[in-house]
Amino acid sequence: MSVIPTDDMSAHSPSSAMKTGRNISARRLGIWLLRALGALGLLMVAAFLLSFASFVRSIARFEPHRVGAAAGIVVLTGGSQRLTDALGLLASGHGRRLLISGVHQKTSRDEIARITGYRGDKLECCADLGKSARNTIGNAIEARRWARENGFRSLIVVTSNYHMPRALGEFAHVMGDIEVVGYPVVSDSVDMTRLWADPGAFRLIATEYTKYIVSRARRSIEHDPEHSRLPTLVGRQKPVGPQAIERAETLEVR
């Protein structure tokens, strides 16, 4: 007479016990992995927040300050206050020439004078318009070309304080032995003391921080952005166009 195993007999068979044990082990492993990934995620978030807070504090320390004289001045377009401060440095003799880098193709000196309210003669005699730079990497490349053409060994770089860490990093990356000094401009629209209460300012600084991290990573594996594909991959376009620098044509009035 054959004996047919009942459900109870099947449940307690050796093969069923092994399957149950494997299922329990797999669940335990899955739970452990989830906890480990959760802990790693929390550590990464904490590290990001600490690094971001350090970045914010570093920006807060970038305030307008006295600078010595340099051979040239470079201002990165992005706000009328940057242009006003750069023209002020040029007029007060802090540099022999000024490069306004990243100028729109249709922007003229007359338009710059109107925007800034500048009425001096330095804009006509000593301010060159760089219209090839498409981003901060391009600003640095354009400024290097300009500095070499003029034989300048020192530059003052004018840009917003929140943009200064990335800008100085890009300039130092390409300039070699050309000395670079930053002149930060504090924007009235970005109050670093109220950053956590201002969503717009927070988004701006968070975006700038992300770009700064990407910039550092790119520069760590790149020799020269002018001859590398990485800037194009990162910026989705070539950092500089074919346009030549538009030099001031009139003689300097002394």
Side-chain angles (χ1 to χ4, degrees):
M1 181 177 68
S2 62
V3 179
I4 301 175
T6 64
D7 291 343
D8 289 341
M9 293 176 65
S10 298
H12 295 287
S13 66
S15 60
S16 296
M18 291 179 63
K19 290 180 180 179
T20 301
R22 286 197 295 268
N23 290 337
I24 293 173
S25 297
R27 284 197 296 270
R28 288 176 177 173
L29 178 61
I31 292 172
W32 183 87
L33 287 175
L34 286 175
R35 288 176 177 174
L37 289 173
L40 179 61
L42 288 175
L43 286 174
M44 292 177 65
V45 170
F48 176 85
L49 292 176
L50 287 173
S51 179
F52 179 68
S54 177
F55 179 74
V56 171
R57 286 195 298 271
S58 72
I59 292 175
R61 291 194 294 268
F62 278 114
E63 296 286 344
H65 57 271
R66 291 180 178 273
V67 292
I73 304 167
V74 181
V75 58
L76 282 53
T77 56
S80 61
Q81 188 60 47
R82 297 183 190 182
L83 293 171
T84 300
D85 286 6
L87 287 167
L89 290 172
L90 180 66
S92 59
H94 284 83
R96 297 199 297 272
R97 294 193 73 85
L98 167 66
L99 171 65
I100 305 176
S101 180
V103 179
H104 190 275
Q105 299 303 310
K106 296 181 179 180
T107 301
S108 64
R109 287 183 176 79
D110 290 339
E111 180 67 11
I112 293 173
R114 185 189 66 79
I115 293 172
T116 60
Y118 183 75
R119 294 293 181 268
D121 54 62
K122 293 288 186 177
L123 187 57
E124 292 296 331
C125 75
C126 312
D128 301 323
L129 307 186
K131 298 185 176 183
S132 67
R134 294 168 176 166
N135 51 33
T136 306
I137 304 171
N139 291 140
I141 295 172
E142 186 174 60
R144 179 173 65 180
R145 294 174 179 175
W146 179 76
R148 288 176 174 176
E149 288 174 1
N150 289 280
F152 292 160
R153 307 304 301 172
S154 59
L155 298 175
I156 297 172
V157 177
V158 181
T159 190
S160 298
N161 61 341
Y162 62 82
H163 186 217
M164 189 61 74
R166 181 161 59 100
L168 287 181
E170 294 292 356
F171 271 69
H173 183 50
V174 305
M175 287 299 173
D177 58 354
I178 299 176
E179 181 184 1
V180 177
V181 177
Y183 185 86
V185 176
V186 177
S187 173
D188 294 335
S189 61
V190 182
D191 186 355
M192 298 302 296
T193 63
R194 297 186 62 256
L195 182 64
W196 309 104
D198 186 341
F202 182 85
R203 282 195 299 270
L204 174 66
I205 301 304
T207 300
E208 181 57 35
Y209 173 71
T210 303
K211 292 180 179 179
Y212 171 73
I213 294 299
V214 172
S215 172
R216 287 188 60 178
R218 192 202 84 248
R219 286 184 277 114
S220 69
I221 59 175
E222 174 189 79
H223 176 64
D224 187 337
E226 191 166 7
H227 307 290
S228 170
R229 294 181 180 180
L230 286 177
T232 303
L233 293 174
V234 171
R236 300 179 182 178
Q237 62 177 342
K238 292 183 178 180
V240 289
Q243 298 82 2
I245 292 174
E246 185 180 313
R247 294 183 60 87
E249 296 179 355
T250 62
L251 296 176
E252 180 180 359
V253 179
R254 298 184 183 275

